[in-house]
Amino acid sequence: MNTNSHHEELQRLEQEASSRAGAVQSAEELRRVESSLLGKDSPFGGLLKHLKSLPPEQRGAFGQAVNGAKARIKALLEERLAALESAAARTEDDAARAFDPTLPGAQRPLGSVHPVTAVQWEIERIFVRLGFTIEAGPEMESEHYNFEALNIPADHPARDMQDTFWLKNGKVLRTHTSPVQVRAMHKFGAPLRTLVPGRCFRYETIDASHENTFHQVEGLMIDRDISIANLIALAKLLLSEVMHREVELRIRPGYFPFVEPGIEIDMNCQICGGKGCPTCKHSGWVEILPCGMVHPNVLRAGRIDPEAWTGFAFGLGLTRLAMMKYGIRDIRVLNAGDLRPLVGARRLTGPIIKG
Ligand code: FA5
């Protein structure tokens, strides 16, 4: 190659630099172009070798041409870098201007637990604090545990107190959580403190306060010298803690074959404040906590000596308590699968209006 063609090569390099620099879109890409055009392995290396082979009188002019071309390419790349940087700054600026802090934030709907589950967890926390274990039992239950072990033999009229779903295999859908009383006695013996939240089933006519599928929480405490006073104190603590306020209780005699004596603890209706509404059947009171002292026959069925141990049991209407707590007027809402009334449910926080 002669000196003329080397001058052409310099021109070609400048043109290449100009078109490649124009095409790059980032500073990083530009650095790669710079190193391929001006770096160690660039065509300028070959041109410098040629410089050495020239006669001394031509070296000065050719050296100046090479350095001039290099300087122009460098300037061109720097200019392109400045342009890229200011374009990036403009994009950031535009993005910052596009954010309007006065607009309301995006609404992200949050899920929550079902009201019955929320109350169940709250009750579990209270009883775990008091040393109770949490147990579960089968929803498809034997006639033995659902009735016989609870002092309700086949011919006992109390079988009609709870309308039962009988299954083809001779078992029942448990009508209450009480069968787990005897199951827990078999498992743990005495002394015993256990809590059993669970689903129950009854062949009922459905209305605002009756479902065929609902939840109860069974409580059972067996020890030396347990009395009905312990039971009433615990009932008051439980209902007041769940409602986050002092509740009014009404205590009246109740009959259940598996307790003696049996009592019914009612709570003043938190929906109408005791004035009377469809939820409390216009009585101002809601049946919430039937209970009593465990019948000796039930202790015997659980292989516990009734001469040595006494105990109390209760069967809290968990679904009804959740309705009271969240102001849900109709029990059917809880199983209907429509989330809107449940999301709208709020704990009642107003003062209790005495009935
Ligand atoms: C019983 O089920 C007894 N096993 C409770 C018990 C346990 C008594 C231990 C003594 C000792 P009862 O049938 O009353 O009792 O039901 C208990 C509670 O469950 C009621 O007070 C009520 O709050 C709730 N309940 C009963 N039937 C329904 C229903 N169909 N829908 C919603 N809740 C119900």
Side-chain angles (χ1 to χ4, degrees):
M1 215 192 275
N2 61 29
T3 306
N4 277 348
S5 53
H6 281 114
H7 279 290
E8 277 164 22
E9 169 72 352
L10 281 174
Q11 271 173 7
R12 194 197 56 74
L13 279 175
E14 282 192 55
Q15 271 161 13
E16 185 188 333
S18 163
S19 71
R20 284 180 69 188
V24 300
Q25 293 303 326
S26 71
E28 202 188 344
E29 255 182 282
L30 193 69
R31 269 193 292 281
R32 278 199 295 274
V33 170
E34 182 177 13
S35 113
S36 82
L37 288 173
L38 303 174
K40 266 203 285 152
D41 301 325
S42 72
F44 279 99
L47 290 168
L48 286 173
K49 267 189 210 140
H50 171 66
L51 180 74
K52 285 179 197 156
S53 70
L54 285 177
E57 64 278 11
Q58 288 181 17
R59 282 190 197 162
F62 186 69
Q64 270 175 10
V66 171
N67 286 338
K70 256 184 146 175
R72 280 189 296 281
I73 291 176
K74 237 185 161 114
L76 185 103
L77 295 177
E78 271 165 20
E79 203 179 306
R80 181 69 187 138
L81 181 65
L84 285 173
E85 281 174 353
S86 82
R90 259 200 318 278
T91 313
E92 262 177 43
D93 218 33
D94 286 351
R97 257 198 295 278
F99 175 72
D100 181 352
T102 62
L103 288 175
Q107 295 275 327
R108 296 196 196 287
L110 279 182
S112 65
V113 293
H114 192 277
V116 171
T117 311
V119 178
Q120 179 185 322
W121 288 352
E122 207 167 342
I123 295 171
E124 286 177 8
R125 275 197 294 274
I126 297 167
F127 278 83
V128 165
R129 223 169 59 207
L130 298 172
F132 281 65
T133 61
I134 310 291
E135 288 296 307
E139 290 179 344
M140 184 173 72
E141 186 54 283
S142 69
E143 203 180 335
H144 173 76
Y145 282 112
N146 200 79
F147 294 120
E148 273 139 32
L150 293 171
N151 202 27
I152 318 175
D155 55 354
H156 198 291
R159 287 225 176 175
D160 297 337
M161 284 168 76
Q162 301 174 354
D163 297 307
T164 309
F165 286 111
W166 289 90
L167 302 177
K168 284 196 178 132
N169 60 6
K171 296 197 169 192
V172 299
L173 289 183
R174 69 174 174 199
T175 53
H176 49 176
T177 41
S178 299
V180 192
Q181 283 187 30
V182 177
R183 287 183 176 276
M185 290 179 207
H186 288 168
K187 188 168 167 191
F188 299 110
L192 172 60
R193 289 178 195 196
T194 195
L195 192 80
V196 188
R199 213 151 53 132
C200 309
F201 309 88
R202 289 193 198 172
Y203 187 48
E204 294 248 21
T205 308
I206 294 174
D207 61 24
S209 53
H210 292 83
E211 250 291 1
N212 51 30
T213 305
F214 58 96
H215 284 75
Q216 290 185 345
V217 179
E218 195 79 7
L220 175 66
M221 181 168 179
I222 299 173
D223 214 320
R224 314 260 181 210
D225 303 325
I226 294 286
S227 79
I228 208 151
N230 301 129
L231 169 58
I232 293 169
L234 193 68
K236 181 120 187 142
L237 170 97
L238 162 65
L239 296 174
S240 300
E241 282 217 17
V242 170
M243 296 308 297
H244 294 262
R245 62 166 92 166
E246 192 84 353
V247 296
E248 264 190 83
L249 300 184
R250 181 175 76 168
I251 298 172
R252 57 199 168 89
Y255 173 69
F256 302 93
F258 33 96
V259 284
E260 182 57 42
I263 57 177
E264 289 270 8
I265 298 183
D266 302 336
M267 182 169 76
N268 66 326
C269 179
Q270 307 282 309
I271 304 267
C272 60
K275 279 184 182 160
C277 67
T279 314
C280 61
K281 298 221 178 77
H282 302 281
S283 69
W285 296 95
V286 183
E287 277 181 25
I288 205 92
L289 197 93
C291 51
M293 301 305 292
V294 182
H295 195 287
N297 286 349
V298 177
L299 289 172
R300 271 186 216 106
R303 300 193 280 270
I304 291 177
D305 179 3
E307 300 301 322
W309 303 93
T310 51
F312 65 70
F314 63 79
L316 172 77
L318 174 60
T319 305
R320 290 207 187 143
L321 187 59
M323 291 168 72
M324 292 293 111
K325 175 155 175 156
Y326 292 104
I328 297 166
R329 290 162 191 274
D330 195 316
I331 197 168
R332 288 165 283 203
V333 159
L334 290 165
N335 288 351
D338 181 353
L339 295 183
R340 287 166 303 177
L342 301 184
V343 172
R346 293 280 179 274
R347 186 177 354 122
L348 297 177
T349 48
I352 302 177
I353 305 158
K354 299 217 161 137

mmCIF file of all heavy atoms in Angstrom, residues 161-162 175-178 181 202 204 209-212 214-216 218 256 258-259 264 287-292 313-320 331, ligand 1:
data_model
loop_
_atom_site.group_PDB
_atom_site.id
_atom_site.type_symbol
_atom_site.label_atom_id
_atom_site.label_comp_id
_atom_site.label_asym_id
_atom_site.label_seq_id
_atom_site.Cartn_x
_atom_site.Cartn_y
_atom_site.Cartn_z
ATOM 1 N N MET A 161 -84.015 -33.917 70.005
ATOM 2 C CA MET A 161 -83.644 -32.501 70.215
ATOM 3 C C MET A 161 -82.792 -31.998 69.046
ATOM 4 O O MET A 161 -82.746 -30.818 68.763
ATOM 5 C CB MET A 161 -82.827 -32.342 71.520
ATOM 6 C CG MET A 161 -83.669 -32.418 72.790
ATOM 7 S SD MET A 161 -82.614 -32.584 74.246
ATOM 8 C CE MET A 161 -81.975 -30.938 74.458
ATOM 9 N N GLN A 162 -82.061 -32.892 68.437
ATOM 10 C CA GLN A 162 -81.186 -32.482 67.339
ATOM 11 C C GLN A 162 -81.557 -33.305 66.104
ATOM 12 O O GLN A 162 -81.389 -34.523 66.094
ATOM 13 C CB GLN A 162 -79.720 -32.741 67.720
ATOM 14 C CG GLN A 162 -79.313 -31.978 68.973
ATOM 15 C CD GLN A 162 -77.912 -32.337 69.442
ATOM 16 O OE1 GLN A 162 -77.269 -33.240 68.916
ATOM 17 N NE2 GLN A 162 -77.445 -31.621 70.445
ATOM 18 N N THR A 175 -73.980 -33.932 65.034
ATOM 19 C CA THR A 175 -74.964 -32.867 65.256
ATOM 20 C C THR A 175 -74.403 -31.793 66.181
ATOM 21 O O THR A 175 -74.986 -30.736 66.329
ATOM 22 C CB THR A 175 -76.238 -33.455 65.874
ATOM 23 O OG1 THR A 175 -75.856 -34.206 67.035
ATOM 24 C CG2 THR A 175 -76.964 -34.356 64.894
ATOM 25 N N HIS A 176 -73.299 -32.105 66.848
ATOM 26 C CA HIS A 176 -72.655 -31.155 67.763
ATOM 27 C C HIS A 176 -71.184 -31.557 67.940
ATOM 28 O O HIS A 176 -70.766 -32.612 67.449
ATOM 29 C CB HIS A 176 -73.386 -31.087 69.115
ATOM 30 C CG HIS A 176 -73.681 -32.434 69.744
ATOM 31 N ND1 HIS A 176 -74.251 -32.564 70.987
ATOM 32 C CD2 HIS A 176 -73.480 -33.708 69.317
ATOM 33 C CE1 HIS A 176 -74.394 -33.839 71.288
ATOM 34 N NE2 HIS A 176 -73.931 -34.548 70.285
ATOM 35 N N THR A 177 -70.427 -30.720 68.619
ATOM 36 C CA THR A 177 -69.006 -31.060 68.843
ATOM 37 C C THR A 177 -68.839 -31.902 70.111
ATOM 38 O O THR A 177 -67.724 -32.365 70.404
ATOM 39 C CB THR A 177 -68.144 -29.777 68.948
ATOM 40 O OG1 THR A 177 -68.841 -28.804 69.717
ATOM 41 C CG2 THR A 177 -67.820 -29.211 67.580
ATOM 42 N N SER A 178 -69.933 -32.156 70.842
ATOM 43 C CA SER A 178 -69.830 -32.909 72.108
ATOM 44 C C SER A 178 -69.228 -34.322 71.980
ATOM 45 O O SER A 178 -68.608 -34.799 72.935
ATOM 46 C CB SER A 178 -71.199 -32.984 72.788
ATOM 47 O OG SER A 178 -71.647 -31.681 73.089
ATOM 48 N N GLN A 181 -65.865 -34.831 73.356
ATOM 49 C CA GLN A 181 -65.640 -34.910 74.820
ATOM 50 C C GLN A 181 -65.104 -36.289 75.191
ATOM 51 O O GLN A 181 -64.045 -36.415 75.815
ATOM 52 C CB GLN A 181 -66.953 -34.692 75.574
ATOM 53 C CG GLN A 181 -67.431 -33.261 75.660
ATOM 54 C CD GLN A 181 -68.650 -33.151 76.575
ATOM 55 O OE1 GLN A 181 -68.818 -33.918 77.510
ATOM 56 N NE2 GLN A 181 -69.491 -32.168 76.299
ATOM 57 N N ARG A 202 -77.177 -30.225 60.994
ATOM 58 C CA ARG A 202 -78.512 -30.620 61.477
ATOM 59 C C ARG A 202 -79.529 -30.492 60.355
ATOM 60 O O ARG A 202 -79.458 -29.555 59.554
ATOM 61 C CB ARG A 202 -78.939 -29.758 62.662
ATOM 62 C CG ARG A 202 -78.124 -30.102 63.887
ATOM 63 C CD ARG A 202 -78.679 -29.520 65.147
ATOM 64 N NE ARG A 202 -77.624 -29.534 66.156
ATOM 65 C CZ ARG A 202 -77.699 -28.961 67.330
ATOM 66 N NH1 ARG A 202 -78.815 -28.331 67.668
ATOM 67 N NH2 ARG A 202 -76.707 -29.031 68.176
ATOM 68 N N GLU A 204 -82.269 -29.161 59.610
ATOM 69 C CA GLU A 204 -83.079 -28.070 60.172
ATOM 70 C C GLU A 204 -83.782 -27.293 59.076
ATOM 71 O O GLU A 204 -83.288 -27.214 57.953
ATOM 72 C CB GLU A 204 -82.151 -27.046 60.852
ATOM 73 C CG GLU A 204 -81.410 -27.532 62.053
ATOM 74 C CD GLU A 204 -81.888 -26.867 63.318
ATOM 75 O OE1 GLU A 204 -83.021 -26.347 63.332
ATOM 76 O OE2 GLU A 204 -81.127 -26.901 64.296
ATOM 77 N N SER A 209 -81.437 -17.436 61.863
ATOM 78 C CA SER A 209 -80.474 -17.854 62.897
ATOM 79 C C SER A 209 -80.206 -19.364 62.905
ATOM 80 O O SER A 209 -79.504 -19.860 63.771
ATOM 81 C CB SER A 209 -80.958 -17.396 64.279
ATOM 82 O OG SER A 209 -82.273 -17.837 64.487
ATOM 83 N N HIS A 210 -80.768 -20.099 61.946
ATOM 84 C CA HIS A 210 -80.533 -21.551 61.882
ATOM 85 C C HIS A 210 -80.007 -21.946 60.516
ATOM 86 O O HIS A 210 -80.595 -21.592 59.494
ATOM 87 C CB HIS A 210 -81.823 -22.332 62.144
ATOM 88 C CG HIS A 210 -82.309 -22.213 63.541
ATOM 89 N ND1 HIS A 210 -83.049 -21.151 63.980
ATOM 90 C CD2 HIS A 210 -82.141 -23.032 64.609
ATOM 91 C CE1 HIS A 210 -83.323 -21.304 65.262
ATOM 92 N NE2 HIS A 210 -82.783 -22.433 65.685
ATOM 93 N N GLU A 211 -78.935 -22.702 60.521
ATOM 94 C CA GLU A 211 -78.350 -23.240 59.288
ATOM 95 C C GLU A 211 -78.324 -24.754 59.435
ATOM 96 O O GLU A 211 -78.372 -25.270 60.554
ATOM 97 C CB GLU A 211 -76.902 -22.735 59.150
ATOM 98 C CG GLU A 211 -76.681 -21.734 58.039
ATOM 99 C CD GLU A 211 -76.815 -22.329 56.644
ATOM 100 O OE1 GLU A 211 -77.098 -23.534 56.515
ATOM 101 O OE2 GLU A 211 -76.661 -21.567 55.684
ATOM 102 N N ASN A 212 -78.184 -25.475 58.298
ATOM 103 C CA ASN A 212 -77.994 -26.929 58.462
ATOM 104 C C ASN A 212 -76.515 -27.262 58.659
ATOM 105 O O ASN A 212 -76.168 -28.352 59.075
ATOM 106 C CB ASN A 212 -78.600 -27.718 57.297
ATOM 107 C CG ASN A 212 -78.135 -27.203 55.958
ATOM 108 O OD1 ASN A 212 -77.011 -26.681 55.851
ATOM 109 N ND2 ASN A 212 -78.974 -27.319 54.951
ATOM 110 N N PHE A 214 -73.184 -25.477 60.543
ATOM 111 C CA PHE A 214 -72.769 -24.335 61.375
ATOM 112 C C PHE A 214 -71.598 -24.782 62.259
ATOM 113 O O PHE A 214 -71.236 -25.968 62.267
ATOM 114 C CB PHE A 214 -73.938 -23.826 62.229
ATOM 115 C CG PHE A 214 -74.523 -24.884 63.129
ATOM 116 C CD1 PHE A 214 -74.131 -24.995 64.461
ATOM 117 C CD2 PHE A 214 -75.441 -25.797 62.639
ATOM 118 C CE1 PHE A 214 -74.650 -25.995 65.276
ATOM 119 C CE2 PHE A 214 -75.962 -26.799 63.452
ATOM 120 C CZ PHE A 214 -75.563 -26.894 64.773
ATOM 121 N N HIS A 215 -71.042 -23.838 62.995
ATOM 122 C CA HIS A 215 -69.869 -24.168 63.816
ATOM 123 C C HIS A 215 -70.167 -24.048 65.306
ATOM 124 O O HIS A 215 -70.878 -23.136 65.719
ATOM 125 C CB HIS A 215 -68.712 -23.230 63.470
ATOM 126 C CG HIS A 215 -68.043 -23.579 62.175
ATOM 127 N ND1 HIS A 215 -68.604 -23.310 60.958
ATOM 128 C CD2 HIS A 215 -66.852 -24.198 61.924
ATOM 129 C CE1 HIS A 215 -67.799 -23.745 60.002
ATOM 130 N NE2 HIS A 215 -66.732 -24.277 60.558
ATOM 131 N N GLN A 216 -69.595 -24.944 66.047
ATOM 132 C CA GLN A 216 -69.629 -24.853 67.521
ATOM 133 C C GLN A 216 -68.191 -24.926 68.028
ATOM 134 O O GLN A 216 -67.278 -25.330 67.309
ATOM 135 C CB GLN A 216 -70.386 -26.040 68.133
ATOM 136 C CG GLN A 216 -71.880 -26.038 67.888
ATOM 137 C CD GLN A 216 -72.582 -27.174 68.629
ATOM 138 O OE1 GLN A 216 -71.948 -28.126 69.110
ATOM 139 N NE2 GLN A 216 -73.900 -27.083 68.708
ATOM 140 N N GLU A 218 -66.594 -26.728 71.401
ATOM 141 C CA GLU A 218 -66.820 -27.478 72.635
ATOM 142 C C GLU A 218 -65.695 -27.143 73.601
ATOM 143 O O GLU A 218 -64.529 -27.040 73.199
ATOM 144 C CB GLU A 218 -66.769 -28.982 72.296
ATOM 145 C CG GLU A 218 -67.330 -29.878 73.352
ATOM 146 C CD GLU A 218 -68.860 -29.902 73.286
ATOM 147 O OE1 GLU A 218 -69.457 -29.340 72.348
ATOM 148 O OE2 GLU A 218 -69.453 -30.486 74.214
ATOM 149 N N PHE A 256 -79.726 -31.099 79.017
ATOM 150 C CA PHE A 256 -78.936 -31.898 78.075
ATOM 151 C C PHE A 256 -78.576 -33.177 78.823
ATOM 152 O O PHE A 256 -78.076 -33.097 79.951
ATOM 153 C CB PHE A 256 -77.645 -31.167 77.664
ATOM 154 C CG PHE A 256 -77.907 -29.824 77.044
ATOM 155 C CD1 PHE A 256 -77.921 -28.677 77.822
ATOM 156 C CD2 PHE A 256 -78.155 -29.719 75.679
ATOM 157 C CE1 PHE A 256 -78.193 -27.446 77.267
ATOM 158 C CE2 PHE A 256 -78.423 -28.472 75.114
ATOM 159 C CZ PHE A 256 -78.450 -27.340 75.894
ATOM 160 N N PHE A 258 -76.206 -35.060 78.804
ATOM 161 C CA PHE A 258 -74.781 -35.301 79.120
ATOM 162 C C PHE A 258 -74.242 -34.364 80.174
ATOM 163 O O PHE A 258 -73.049 -34.392 80.494
ATOM 164 C CB PHE A 258 -73.921 -35.251 77.846
ATOM 165 C CG PHE A 258 -74.419 -34.283 76.805
ATOM 166 C CD1 PHE A 258 -73.891 -33.014 76.718
ATOM 167 C CD2 PHE A 258 -75.411 -34.653 75.911
ATOM 168 C CE1 PHE A 258 -74.348 -32.124 75.758
ATOM 169 C CE2 PHE A 258 -75.878 -33.763 74.948
ATOM 170 C CZ PHE A 258 -75.359 -32.503 74.872
ATOM 171 N N VAL A 259 -75.100 -33.501 80.758
ATOM 172 C CA VAL A 259 -74.649 -32.649 81.875
ATOM 173 C C VAL A 259 -75.686 -32.675 82.996
ATOM 174 O O VAL A 259 -76.880 -32.859 82.755
ATOM 175 C CB VAL A 259 -74.407 -31.179 81.429
ATOM 176 C CG1 VAL A 259 -73.114 -31.046 80.653
ATOM 177 C CG2 VAL A 259 -75.571 -30.624 80.641
ATOM 178 N N GLU A 264 -78.278 -22.893 80.415
ATOM 179 C CA GLU A 264 -78.185 -22.177 79.132
ATOM 180 C C GLU A 264 -77.689 -20.780 79.452
ATOM 181 O O GLU A 264 -78.268 -20.096 80.294
ATOM 182 C CB GLU A 264 -79.569 -22.033 78.485
ATOM 183 C CG GLU A 264 -80.148 -23.309 77.951
ATOM 184 C CD GLU A 264 -79.767 -23.556 76.488
ATOM 185 O OE1 GLU A 264 -78.927 -22.810 75.943
ATOM 186 O OE2 GLU A 264 -80.306 -24.511 75.917
ATOM 187 N N GLU A 287 -79.267 -17.430 72.226
ATOM 188 C CA GLU A 287 -78.744 -18.663 72.852
ATOM 189 C C GLU A 287 -77.338 -18.868 72.329
ATOM 190 O O GLU A 287 -77.131 -19.011 71.126
ATOM 191 C CB GLU A 287 -79.554 -19.866 72.378
ATOM 192 C CG GLU A 287 -80.814 -20.098 73.124
ATOM 193 C CD GLU A 287 -81.530 -21.344 72.584
ATOM 194 O OE1 GLU A 287 -80.852 -22.227 72.016
ATOM 195 O OE2 GLU A 287 -82.753 -21.400 72.738
ATOM 196 N N ILE A 288 -76.373 -18.861 73.214
ATOM 197 C CA ILE A 288 -75.007 -18.876 72.706
ATOM 198 C C ILE A 288 -74.159 -19.952 73.370
ATOM 199 O O ILE A 288 -73.267 -20.506 72.764
ATOM 200 C CB ILE A 288 -74.380 -17.450 72.873
ATOM 201 C CG1 ILE A 288 -73.277 -17.208 71.872
ATOM 202 C CG2 ILE A 288 -73.911 -17.155 74.265
ATOM 203 C CD1 ILE A 288 -73.716 -16.585 70.630
ATOM 204 N N LEU A 289 -74.459 -20.249 74.659
ATOM 205 C CA LEU A 289 -73.533 -21.125 75.366
ATOM 206 C C LEU A 289 -74.253 -22.101 76.308
ATOM 207 O O LEU A 289 -74.276 -21.902 77.518
ATOM 208 C CB LEU A 289 -72.547 -20.257 76.171
ATOM 209 C CG LEU A 289 -71.292 -20.979 76.619
ATOM 210 C CD1 LEU A 289 -70.176 -20.795 75.618
ATOM 211 C CD2 LEU A 289 -70.839 -20.473 77.970
ATOM 212 N N PRO A 290 -74.802 -23.167 75.743
ATOM 213 C CA PRO A 290 -75.352 -24.196 76.623
ATOM 214 C C PRO A 290 -74.198 -24.939 77.303
ATOM 215 O O PRO A 290 -73.153 -25.167 76.679
ATOM 216 C CB PRO A 290 -76.119 -25.113 75.677
ATOM 217 C CG PRO A 290 -75.630 -24.806 74.316
ATOM 218 C CD PRO A 290 -74.936 -23.481 74.331
ATOM 219 N N CYS A 291 -74.407 -25.304 78.546
ATOM 220 C CA CYS A 291 -73.274 -25.916 79.276
ATOM 221 C C CYS A 291 -73.760 -26.611 80.546
ATOM 222 O O CYS A 291 -74.962 -26.651 80.813
ATOM 223 C CB CYS A 291 -72.265 -24.836 79.641
ATOM 224 S SG CYS A 291 -72.983 -23.416 80.478
ATOM 225 N N GLY A 292 -72.841 -27.119 81.322
ATOM 226 C CA GLY A 292 -73.216 -27.761 82.583
ATOM 227 C C GLY A 292 -72.081 -28.603 83.127
ATOM 228 O O GLY A 292 -70.977 -28.620 82.566
ATOM 229 N N ALA A 313 -68.604 -28.791 80.909
ATOM 230 C CA ALA A 313 -68.507 -28.784 79.438
ATOM 231 C C ALA A 313 -69.433 -27.699 78.915
ATOM 232 O O ALA A 313 -70.441 -27.374 79.537
ATOM 233 C CB ALA A 313 -68.923 -30.140 78.876
ATOM 234 N N PHE A 314 -69.048 -27.121 77.803
ATOM 235 C CA PHE A 314 -69.955 -26.177 77.128
ATOM 236 C C PHE A 314 -69.901 -26.405 75.629
ATOM 237 O O PHE A 314 -68.938 -26.990 75.112
ATOM 238 C CB PHE A 314 -69.610 -24.716 77.484
ATOM 239 C CG PHE A 314 -68.242 -24.260 77.046
ATOM 240 C CD1 PHE A 314 -67.989 -23.889 75.729
ATOM 241 C CD2 PHE A 314 -67.190 -24.193 77.970
ATOM 242 C CE1 PHE A 314 -66.720 -23.460 75.338
ATOM 243 C CE2 PHE A 314 -65.922 -23.767 77.582
ATOM 244 C CZ PHE A 314 -65.683 -23.400 76.259
ATOM 245 N N GLY A 315 -70.956 -25.968 74.949
ATOM 246 C CA GLY A 315 -71.003 -26.085 73.481
ATOM 247 C C GLY A 315 -71.376 -24.732 72.902
ATOM 248 O O GLY A 315 -72.549 -24.426 72.724
ATOM 249 N N LEU A 316 -70.359 -23.918 72.677
ATOM 250 C CA LEU A 316 -70.579 -22.532 72.224
ATOM 251 C C LEU A 316 -71.080 -22.507 70.776
ATOM 252 O O LEU A 316 -70.524 -23.199 69.923
ATOM 253 C CB LEU A 316 -69.241 -21.784 72.316
ATOM 254 C CG LEU A 316 -69.190 -20.384 71.710
ATOM 255 C CD1 LEU A 316 -69.863 -19.381 72.624
ATOM 256 C CD2 LEU A 316 -67.756 -19.957 71.457
ATOM 257 N N GLY A 317 -72.101 -21.711 70.510
ATOM 258 C CA GLY A 317 -72.575 -21.512 69.131
ATOM 259 C C GLY A 317 -71.656 -20.516 68.436
ATOM 260 O O GLY A 317 -71.888 -19.322 68.462
ATOM 261 N N LEU A 318 -70.590 -21.051 67.818
ATOM 262 C CA LEU A 318 -69.551 -20.184 67.243
ATOM 263 C C LEU A 318 -70.098 -19.307 66.109
ATOM 264 O O LEU A 318 -69.790 -18.119 66.011
ATOM 265 C CB LEU A 318 -68.390 -21.062 66.746
ATOM 266 C CG LEU A 318 -67.266 -20.358 65.990
ATOM 267 C CD1 LEU A 318 -66.598 -19.296 66.835
ATOM 268 C CD2 LEU A 318 -66.222 -21.365 65.510
ATOM 269 N N THR A 319 -70.922 -19.914 65.254
ATOM 270 C CA THR A 319 -71.456 -19.144 64.122
ATOM 271 C C THR A 319 -72.289 -17.974 64.634
ATOM 272 O O THR A 319 -72.183 -16.851 64.137
ATOM 273 C CB THR A 319 -72.301 -20.064 63.217
ATOM 274 O OG1 THR A 319 -71.495 -21.176 62.847
ATOM 275 C CG2 THR A 319 -72.764 -19.341 61.978
ATOM 276 N N ARG A 320 -73.098 -18.242 65.641
ATOM 277 C CA ARG A 320 -73.941 -17.151 66.178
ATOM 278 C C ARG A 320 -73.085 -16.078 66.843
ATOM 279 O O ARG A 320 -73.401 -14.897 66.764
ATOM 280 C CB ARG A 320 -74.956 -17.712 67.173
ATOM 281 C CG ARG A 320 -75.999 -18.522 66.477
ATOM 282 C CD ARG A 320 -77.307 -18.541 67.211
ATOM 283 N NE ARG A 320 -78.187 -19.488 66.542
ATOM 284 C CZ ARG A 320 -79.036 -20.285 67.147
ATOM 285 N NH1 ARG A 320 -79.122 -20.250 68.475
ATOM 286 N NH2 ARG A 320 -79.798 -21.109 66.461
ATOM 287 N N ILE A 331 -77.813 -15.608 59.196
ATOM 288 C CA ILE A 331 -76.793 -16.684 59.209
ATOM 289 C C ILE A 331 -76.513 -17.206 57.795
ATOM 290 O O ILE A 331 -75.406 -17.662 57.504
ATOM 291 C CB ILE A 331 -77.265 -17.824 60.146
ATOM 292 C CG1 ILE A 331 -76.101 -18.736 60.523
ATOM 293 C CG2 ILE A 331 -78.399 -18.634 59.536
ATOM 294 C CD1 ILE A 331 -76.425 -19.694 61.664
HETATM 295 C C1 FA5 B 1 -75.666 -28.675 71.865
HETATM 296 O O1 FA5 B 1 -75.356 -28.870 70.691
HETATM 297 C C2 FA5 B 1 -74.905 -29.254 73.011
HETATM 298 N N1 FA5 B 1 -73.975 -30.227 72.500
HETATM 299 C C3 FA5 B 1 -74.209 -28.131 73.749
HETATM 300 C C4 FA5 B 1 -73.640 -28.546 75.080
HETATM 301 C C5 FA5 B 1 -72.329 -28.936 75.150
HETATM 302 C C6 FA5 B 1 -74.434 -28.509 76.233
HETATM 303 C C7 FA5 B 1 -71.771 -29.287 76.379
HETATM 304 C C8 FA5 B 1 -73.906 -28.860 77.450
HETATM 305 C C9 FA5 B 1 -72.577 -29.246 77.502
HETATM 306 P P1 FA5 B 1 -77.545 -26.964 71.257
HETATM 307 O O2 FA5 B 1 -78.326 -27.887 70.397
HETATM 308 O O3 FA5 B 1 -78.333 -25.994 72.053
HETATM 309 O O4 FA5 B 1 -76.552 -27.759 72.225
HETATM 310 O O5 FA5 B 1 -76.508 -26.175 70.350
HETATM 311 C C10 FA5 B 1 -75.512 -25.386 70.913
HETATM 312 C C11 FA5 B 1 -75.415 -24.012 70.228
HETATM 313 O O6 FA5 B 1 -75.177 -24.218 68.847
HETATM 314 C C12 FA5 B 1 -76.716 -23.207 70.287
HETATM 315 O O7 FA5 B 1 -76.786 -22.425 71.459
HETATM 316 C C13 FA5 B 1 -76.606 -22.334 69.060
HETATM 317 O O8 FA5 B 1 -75.834 -21.178 69.353
HETATM 318 C C14 FA5 B 1 -75.831 -23.231 68.114
HETATM 319 N N2 FA5 B 1 -76.745 -23.867 67.156
HETATM 320 C C15 FA5 B 1 -77.556 -24.920 67.347
HETATM 321 N N3 FA5 B 1 -78.246 -25.200 66.239
HETATM 322 C C16 FA5 B 1 -77.856 -24.300 65.309
HETATM 323 C C17 FA5 B 1 -78.201 -24.066 63.943
HETATM 324 N N4 FA5 B 1 -79.079 -24.829 63.295
HETATM 325 N N5 FA5 B 1 -77.623 -23.055 63.293
HETATM 326 C C18 FA5 B 1 -76.711 -22.285 63.947
HETATM 327 N N6 FA5 B 1 -76.328 -22.451 65.214
HETATM 328 C C19 FA5 B 1 -76.902 -23.441 65.907
#
